[in-house]
Amino acid sequence: MLKPTAHTYMNGMLIEDINPHTLKRWKYILAALLSLGFILSTLAQTGGVGDVNVTATSIFEPTIKDAIKYTDLPEIKDSVKRLPDATYKISSKPLFPRYEVQPIEKAKMQNEPLPKIYHSLLKLGYGPIYNMPYGEVWLHSTRSRENAYGLHYKHFSSTAHLKDAGYGGFSDNEAELYAKQFYKKHTLFGDLNYKRNVVHLYGYDTMQHKLENDFTYQRYQLIEPKLRLVSHYTDSVHINHDIKLGYYNLQNINKEVENNIQLQANGYTYINNEKLFVNFLTDFYNHKQPNDTLNDLIVSLNPYFEAGGNRWMVNMGFTATLDRFKDKTRFYFYPQINASFNVYESLIIPYAGVSGGLIKNSFRKMSTENPFMNADLNYVNTNNKYNLFGGLRGQLSCNTSYDARVSYGQFDSLQFFIINYDRPNTLYNQFVPVYDNTRQLTVNGQVNYQLKEKIKFSVKGNYYYYDTKNLKRAYHKPDYDITLAGSYNLKNKIIVRSDVFLIGKQWALTQQQENGQNVLNPVQLNSLVDINLGAEYRYSKMLSFWAQFNNIAHQRYYRWERYPTQRFNFMMGLTFVPF
């Protein structure tokens, strides 16, 4: 196989075909020509040949463009890339996924208008059997952040003349002005109370005595202004306090007058996790009788600690009392212990403790309990040396609660009432207090049931046992009392209420004839049952009609010796909002 060959040509002839002498001659000619060209170019640059001026014209104008400066900094890029650390995990899911609870949105307050508040309420009624007019009115300010004030007035009277007794008419009038001023951390209360209670001492035999109604007339009149300052601190640094200052003037138609000034200051603070309470009381009585004036000053200090946990609570302290009465000064000391333990979910809470205190038997206290008293009172304060108690309380269900308790106490100069047979007045229709050292055992219990606002029911009972030192009996102290109360609300349209009161037998000291002489002997008064029933029909929010039936059993019973009570009576009326 033939390979191709490269050939060189000169003037149309192959170089390989030229004569070597001829080729050498062409080389000398070419060298001479190159040397001559080099000499001529050198002479032209040095001016040896003469200056030659050449002028060229053109429309071209040379320009230089603006320079553009780049601000980018040089960056060195690493061509080696770093791989992130790889992590691995296994997420397992159950074959049957559990139900996931969806969150519930928070409840929001709706911008509902506040309920309208009215300025007044009027309640009127009348009982035809014993001629009993009744009226009650409330006036009050409307909603305010700064203050509140109002007025309350009540009238209830009767012109009853009971069989085998004197004129038993009465009249009760009460008026109250009250106001509140709200501050940032305090509330200031102010009250002015006025009471005027009229009774007749009708406990006498009309077969033997014929008397005018004014002869047995008795009136009690009370004026009572009060001030109170209460703090509302929410931290544990400040001392929360409740300060009360009060005064009252009480007098009857016999010009027997009692003045009382009372200052009570209560406060508490925290020490670590415990509460320290300190209660202070100053009580001054001035009692003016027709033939004598009595002064009584009581100063009491009661500090105690309160501590507790999730299931227990205990408070422990004492009460120190100074009593200056009839120019004699006495000092008393009373322990104070109260402990309770929540056994399980508030179902059973046992509790126990010990307490005591001085009981002031004032003119106001005794006349409120028994308005048929003699004007000349024998004052003695009662010293409750100690009172031991223990019991159980708790919740039987969300609607039912209970409380059962037993207490035992020692009383020096416990107060009782008997008819005054020492006066020359042969009516024997006024009571006087008598006193005796007594040991008292009390067993009480109560059960409350409430189903929303529809049904309410409660029963409460007390059993008393008195062991007197000198008196033969505990006069006018019943051996038991039971109270049953219930109400039924039918769609907030018809409301039915019922009350039943049972009071056990009690003893009275009465005068009897024995061998031609008057002798005082204990006599037992029968127990009593008082059944009351009331109903209300609410025609609208502004108007309702009501009826009240009292002593449905139509019994004549005696709460106080010689003073029978009214038999069956009823009252009807209405309640409405004037404005």
Side-chain angles (χ1 to χ4, degrees):
M1 184 177 179
L2 296 177
K3 298 182 180 179
T5 303
H7 300 278
T8 305
Y9 293 86
M10 179 180 291
N11 295 330
M13 295 178 64
L14 287 172
I15 295 177
E16 291 83 355
D17 297 335
I18 300 176
N19 189 356
H21 296 283
T22 305
L23 180 61
K24 187 176 181 179
R25 189 185 305 126
W26 280 104
K27 291 181 178 180
Y28 288 133
I29 295 172
L30 179 60
L33 291 174
L34 291 173
S35 301
L36 180 62
F38 174 76
I39 295 171
L40 290 176
S41 63
T42 304
L43 291 175
Q45 294 177 1
T46 58
V49 191
D51 295 333
V52 179
N53 296 326
V54 180
T55 303
T57 60
S58 175
I59 62 174
F60 173 74
E61 294 182 0
T63 61
I64 301 175
K65 293 184 180 181
D66 294 336
I68 300 175
K69 184 178 180 180
Y70 293 97
T71 59
D72 295 341
L73 296 177
E75 179 182 359
I76 300 175
K77 295 184 178 180
D78 191 358
S79 60
V80 179
K81 294 184 178 180
R82 182 181 178 87
L83 296 177
D85 296 335
T87 59
Y88 304 92
K89 64 178 181 178
I90 299 175
S91 59
S92 61
K93 293 183 179 181
L95 181 61
F96 300 100
R98 287 179 291 180
Y99 175 75
E100 296 182 358
V101 179
Q102 298 294 329
I104 301 176
E105 295 185 359
K106 296 180 179 179
K108 298 180 180 180
M109 295 294 294
Q110 301 294 331
N111 295 326
E112 298 179 357
L114 295 174
K116 184 177 180 179
I117 297 179
Y118 297 93
H119 288 274
S120 61
L121 177 66
L122 184 62
K123 189 174 182 180
L124 300 174
Y126 179 72
I129 296 179
Y130 294 107
N131 187 26
M132 296 185 297
Y134 163 77
E136 200 163 1
V137 61
W138 292 266
L139 300 174
H140 198 278
S141 61
T142 54
R143 189 179 289 110
S144 173
R145 295 180 180 269
E146 298 180 354
N147 51 53
Y149 52 88
L151 166 69
H152 173 231
Y153 175 76
K154 177 183 178 181
H155 171 82
F156 181 46
S157 62
S158 174
T159 58
H161 199 133
L162 303 180
K163 183 179 179 182
D164 299 330
Y167 175 72
F170 65 87
S171 175
D172 294 332
N173 293 275
E174 301 178 12
E176 179 185 10
L177 288 170
Y178 54 89
K180 298 180 185 179
Q181 183 68 36
F182 305 109
Y183 299 98
K184 187 176 181 180
K185 297 294 184 180
H186 290 82
T187 300
L188 179 64
F189 299 81
D191 295 83
L192 177 60
N193 300 327
Y194 173 78
K195 293 183 180 180
R196 186 179 184 274
N197 304 108
V198 174
V199 296
H200 285 79
L201 308 178
Y202 64 92
Y204 62 91
D205 189 357
T206 56
M207 299 296 294
Q208 298 181 5
H209 307 280
K210 303 296 183 181
L211 303 175
E212 296 292 333
N213 295 342
D214 294 341
F215 188 82
T216 58
Y217 179 87
Q218 180 60 276
R219 183 202 66 232
Y220 299 96
Q221 183 171 270
L222 173 72
I223 300 176
E224 182 181 24
K226 295 185 295 184
L227 288 175
R228 182 183 180 188
L229 180 66
V230 180
S231 65
H232 306 292
Y233 296 117
T234 57
D235 55 73
S236 59
V237 178
H238 294 84
I239 299 177
N240 273 293
H241 48 269
D242 185 356
I243 302 174
K244 302 175 184 178
L245 177 63
Y247 164 81
Y248 73 77
N249 174 274
L250 175 65
Q251 55 183 310
N252 61 11
I253 198 172
N254 304 103
K255 298 183 180 179
E256 189 172 7
V257 181
E258 181 175 81
N259 294 285
N260 172 248
I261 300 176
Q262 184 181 98
L263 172 63
Q264 185 175 358
N266 304 326
Y268 72 88
T269 186
Y270 289 90
I271 299 178
N272 296 328
N273 294 327
E274 299 177 351
K275 252 183 179 182
L276 172 62
F277 292 82
V278 178
N279 301 326
F280 176 78
L281 172 67
T282 299
D283 216 344
F284 175 74
Y285 293 86
N286 171 261
H287 186 81
K288 296 180 180 180
Q289 295 180 338
N291 300 321
D292 195 5
T293 299
L294 303 175
N295 295 321
D296 187 10
L297 174 63
I298 299 175
V299 180
S300 180
L301 180 65
N302 170 227
Y304 66 94
F305 277 99
E306 182 180 284
N310 295 330
R311 301 175 63 181
W312 63 274
M313 187 280 295
V314 62
N315 66 61
M316 182 179 299
F318 65 89
T319 301
T321 302
L322 182 146
D323 182 20
R324 181 170 177 79
F325 181 55
K326 294 183 179 180
D327 297 329
K328 292 183 180 180
T329 303
R330 296 177 177 85
F331 182 79
Y332 304 97
F333 181 86
Y334 307 98
Q336 177 180 332
I337 302 175
N338 189 359
S340 63
F341 182 76
N342 188 352
V343 176
Y344 178 74
E345 298 291 337
S346 298
L347 296 178
I348 301 176
I349 304 176
Y351 62 91
V354 58
S355 63
L358 186 68
I359 302 173
K360 170 62 182 177
N361 295 315
S362 65
F363 177 37
R364 180 179 183 178
K365 173 181 174 293
M366 291 189 287
S367 62
T368 302
E369 181 181 358
N370 184 355
F372 311 112
M373 294 195 328
N374 189 358
D376 299 330
L377 296 178
N378 178 23
Y379 278 100
V380 176
N381 293 331
T382 300
N383 176 23
N384 180 200
K385 289 183 175 181
Y386 61 86
N387 189 45
L388 301 172
F389 62 89
L392 291 174
R393 67 173 182 266
Q395 299 280 342
L396 297 176
S397 67
C398 60
N399 301 321
T400 308
S401 62
Y402 71 94
D403 187 359
R405 169 174 171 153
V406 178
S407 63
Y408 176 81
Q410 174 69 48
F411 297 86
D412 285 352
S413 302
L414 186 62
Q415 173 195 290
F416 306 92
F417 285 105
I418 62 171
I419 291 287
N420 184 9
Y421 291 101
D422 294 335
R423 299 189 63 182
N425 183 0
T426 58
L427 294 177
Y428 302 134
N429 60 345
Q430 296 183 12
F431 290 85
V432 292
V434 293
Y435 306 89
D436 195 8
N437 296 345
T438 307
R439 290 179 293 179
Q440 178 180 337
L441 174 67
T442 305
V443 180
N444 53 42
Q446 64 178 13
V447 176
N448 299 314
Y449 175 82
Q450 179 172 346
L451 179 60
K452 298 181 179 180
E453 295 296 327
K454 187 175 183 179
I455 299 176
K456 295 180 182 179
F457 176 79
S458 66
V459 55
K460 179 179 179 181
N462 300 282
Y463 169 79
Y464 309 96
Y465 173 77
Y466 300 93
D467 182 12
T468 56
K469 182 177 181 180
N470 298 313
L471 297 177
K472 293 182 179 181
R473 299 291 182 179
Y475 299 115
H476 285 99
K477 298 288 187 181
D479 53 5
Y480 71 87
D481 61 70
I482 300 175
T483 302
L484 296 92
S487 65
Y488 177 74
N489 189 333
L490 180 59
K491 296 183 179 180
N492 206 28
K493 200 70 174 179
I494 299 176
I495 296 92
V496 179
R497 302 180 180 91
S498 178
D499 300 296
V500 179
F501 302 98
L502 295 89
I503 299 179
K505 295 180 180 181
Q506 54 184 335
W507 293 87
L509 186 63
T510 187
Q511 182 174 268
Q512 296 176 338
Q513 288 284 334
E514 289 186 3
N515 301 324
Q517 294 182 354
N518 294 328
V519 180
L520 297 179
N521 290 321
V523 176
Q524 193 174 53
L525 304 181
N526 294 329
S527 59
L528 61 93
V529 178
D530 191 350
I531 304 175
N532 307 310
L533 180 64
E536 179 183 3
Y537 170 70
R538 295 178 178 176
Y539 179 77
S540 66
K541 293 182 178 180
M542 309 279 289
L543 177 64
S544 65
F545 302 93
W546 56 270
Q548 181 68 34
F549 303 90
N550 302 317
N551 196 2
I552 296 178
H554 196 64
Q555 286 191 348
R556 165 171 280 193
Y557 53 82
Y558 293 82
R559 176 60 184 91
W560 303 104
E561 183 188 8
R562 297 177 180 264
Y563 284 87
T565 60
Q566 296 178 353
R567 293 181 182 270
F568 170 76
N569 63 86
F570 70 93
M571 180 179 292
M572 303 180 68
L574 55 87
T575 303
F576 68 96
V577 179
F579 57 91

